[in-house]
Amino acid sequence: MAEQAEIGLIGLGTMGRNLALNIAEKGHLLAVFNRTFARTEEFVEEAGALARRITPAETLEDFVAALQSPRRIILLVPAGQPVDDQIEALKPLLDAGDLIIDGGNSDWRDTNRRVSDATPILHMGLGVSGGAKGAREGPSMMAGGPDAAYAMVAPVLESIAADFDGVPCVAHLGPGGAGHYVKMVHNGIEYADMQMIAEIYGLLRDGLGMAAHDMAPIFARWNEGVLQSYLIEITAKIAATADPDTGQPMLDVIADRAGQKGTGRWTVMDAQERGAPLPAVEAAVTARVLSSRYEDRASAEALFGAGPTSLPRDALTETMMEGALIAGKVLAYAQGFELLAAASDGEDWAIPLSRVAEIWRAGCIIRSTMLDDMASALAEASDRALIMAPHFAGLLARHHGALRQTVSLATAHGIAVPALSSALNFFDMMRTARGTANMLQAQRDYFGQHGFERLDRSDESGLHGPWAG
């Protein structure tokens, strides 16, 4: 009889196939199952020498029988009902203490429910970031669920995770849906980071009339400094790439309609419910929605005239745009970590924020050198906003002027920079001790008698103006 597998994996799509190969390559015996057995057979054939560590199963019964007890099963199936359906199909075949790990982009509320309903088996949510390449070479992973569940699978996850200075980029971040929540916020930050980079690309293209291949060295230079990150790295490579069919820059033949799978929208909705400011992510989600309305945008351009106008060549410098991205990135990430802190308190999860920053340093899409400094700042004072931490306060002091100049020039020349603008407005509101909400409170009291506080009577609330009669 063949030796039983240490872990099982269901779902051999792109992510599932790559994660399975990663698991096998790290020396673990693995059983795999897919709804269509033909894909399973194809996967095993493509696995080459690694196939000796992989047991293909044609039925769920064969799959479960191939696993050591207690069984550990990773699901990589589409989020939503398919996850529930797969759990229901597995339950009759499992024993108390067996573990199901949902490695998809599930809504954290669904994971909360599944963890609660899993008895007598165990359930764990696992956010996996890094795309197909990360899954194959080492992803960043965010786990949530019972302590006992994570302990069962930690050795496997730590062996396949990305590595940063010898530390695996995987952690147990709290009970219930904590892991999937952190992954959701990760994706929201990713939306903002990508949108800001796209806005700078737009300034280079529409404001300075620069060809894509001329931008590549600029992004490559930025990737050697404070902005060093996976997203800046691939932006340089994308800008330098030519279309093999036409010879034109690849960017010039790609339609400007950006897709989304929902996690950015979930992040914004959750932030609104918690009263946590997240304007950079909100702007990025809105920008993706507007990108899909190509016909409307074309009609509006015909009606109102083309939007962008060129800038004087020396008005917008490389240093200025780099500074704008640095400031924007700090502000977007700070907003994301404030949302994590709010959710951690609200859900009683005790998410270790510094550990989140640590496991994002490698493997995931938003990995960057800046996250190492964020991990240190959060370790020093997890209850302090990142923009108040000395290192990041210093970055903002040096670069917020560049962000302001960049946004001002873009706005004056009709070039949309919604995420950078939102980040700047967030910064300006945060550094203004006396804002304008007193007018809002007066208006609310005038039409609805909602009451307000007075500056000279801070111990009283529910006061009204003379218009209340």
Side-chain angles (χ1 to χ4, degrees):
M1 181 178 176
E3 187 176 356
Q4 287 184 302
E6 183 180 353
I7 194 164
L9 186 145
I10 295 177
L12 292 172
T14 302
M15 286 291 288
R17 295 160 82 96
N18 282 287
L19 199 66
L21 291 172
N22 186 356
I23 293 170
E25 189 172 62
K26 298 304 187 295
H28 304 287
L29 297 181
L30 171 74
V32 296
F33 173 80
N34 195 74
R35 186 169 51 86
T36 55
F37 187 56
R39 174 168 285 191
T40 305
E41 291 179 306
E42 175 189 292
F43 165 72
V44 173
E45 184 177 346
E46 292 175 354
L50 293 177
R52 60 190 175 87
R53 298 196 187 107
I54 299 170
T55 301
E58 187 167 3
T59 67
L60 270 183
E61 290 79 6
D62 292 342
F63 171 76
V64 170
L67 297 172
Q68 298 173 11
S69 186
R71 302 172 183 92
R72 288 156 288 190
I73 300 168
I74 299 174
L75 302 184
L76 279 167
V77 299
Q81 192 60 43
V83 176
D84 288 318
D85 292 344
Q86 192 63 72
I87 291 170
E88 288 306 308
L90 279 168
K91 270 186 175 180
L93 307 174
L94 301 180
D95 299 322
D98 289 346
L99 170 64
I100 296 176
I101 305 150
D102 176 11
N105 269 333
S106 286
D107 187 315
W108 66 273
R109 295 178 181 85
D110 287 340
T111 305
N112 264 355
R113 168 178 55 80
R114 289 165 186 150
V115 170
S116 178
D117 294 347
T119 308
I121 64 171
L122 298 171
H123 185 87
M124 189 177 89
L126 184 69
V128 181
S129 178
K133 185 175 181 181
R136 180 65 184 88
E137 299 178 0
S140 171
M141 292 177 287
M142 297 140 263
D147 291 342
Y150 185 73
M152 286 173 63
V153 77
V156 174
L157 297 182
E158 289 173 3
S159 73
I160 67 171
D163 178 279
F164 186 89
D165 288 348
V167 179
C169 291
V170 58
H172 182 226
L173 301 175
H180 275 142
Y181 188 93
V182 173
K183 175 58 164 56
M184 176 190 76
V185 175
H186 165 285
N187 286 18
I189 294 171
E190 180 184 307
Y191 272 55
D193 205 345
M194 293 171 68
Q195 177 63 29
M196 289 178 181
I197 294 170
E199 289 170 14
I200 293 296
Y201 156 72
L203 280 166
L204 292 169
R205 184 192 67 186
D206 300 328
L208 298 182
M210 192 175 289
H213 64 267
D214 291 327
M215 304 175 196
I218 295 174
F219 286 107
R221 282 193 292 274
W222 290 347
N223 196 48
E224 296 172 357
V226 177
L227 287 172
Q228 192 283 318
S229 64
Y230 174 71
L231 286 171
I232 293 290
E233 175 191 340
I234 66 170
T235 298
K237 293 177 179 178
I238 290 166
T241 301
D243 173 30
D245 294 334
T246 65
Q248 298 181 63
M250 198 70 230
L251 281 168
D252 292 355
V253 300
I254 297 175
D256 65 321
R257 296 184 183 94
Q260 55 181 312
K261 293 186 176 179
T263 46
R265 185 171 65 251
W266 295 351
T267 310
V268 169
M269 292 167 63
D270 188 88
Q272 292 288 356
E273 290 174 3
R274 295 185 194 280
L278 204 70
V281 180
E282 291 179 16
V285 171
T286 299
R288 290 206 190 185
V289 172
L290 287 173
S291 78
S292 68
R293 297 175 58 180
Y294 177 77
E295 290 77 12
D296 290 341
R297 290 188 288 123
S299 298
E301 181 176 302
L303 179 62
F304 300 112
T309 59
S310 21
L311 285 77
R313 190 72 187 182
D314 58 352
L316 191 63
T317 67
E318 184 177 324
T319 301
M320 186 192 301
M321 289 182 286
E322 181 183 21
L325 271 182
I326 290 171
K329 186 182 183 81
V330 170
L331 293 164
Y333 280 58
Q335 291 165 26
F337 276 104
E338 284 193 36
L339 176 57
L340 286 176
S344 182
D345 291 342
E347 304 298 328
D348 198 23
W349 280 336
I351 294 172
L353 298 182
S354 62
R355 188 73 185 105
V356 171
E358 287 175 350
I359 65 175
W360 287 352
R361 292 179 300 183
C364 72
I365 301 300
I366 64 172
R367 60 186 182 267
S368 70
T369 55
M370 202 178 281
L371 279 162
D372 200 27
D373 294 316
M374 290 180 180
S376 298
L378 291 165
E380 289 170 7
S382 62
D383 59 345
R384 178 182 60 196
L386 270 177
I387 65 170
M388 304 296 187
H391 177 76
F392 294 103
L395 283 178
L396 287 171
R398 288 193 297 276
H399 298 295
H400 79 85
L403 176 60
R404 188 175 313 284
Q405 288 176 290
T406 301
V407 169
S408 298
L409 282 167
T411 302
H413 290 79
I415 301 173
V417 286
L420 290 171
S421 298
S422 294
L424 177 61
N425 285 324
F426 168 81
F427 175 72
D428 283 342
M429 291 187 73
M430 282 295 294
R431 71 191 188 107
T432 302
R434 180 157 172 78
T436 57
N438 53 320
M439 173 59 82
L440 302 180
Q441 285 299 83
Q443 291 170 335
R444 293 178 73 244
D445 187 60
Y446 195 104
F447 64 68
Q449 296 189 13
H450 292 289
F452 50 73
E453 299 174 19
R454 289 177 60 111
L455 292 174
D456 55 356
R457 301 181 204 167
S458 57
D459 59 336
E460 298 181 59
S461 60
L463 302 175
H464 301 283
W467 48 74

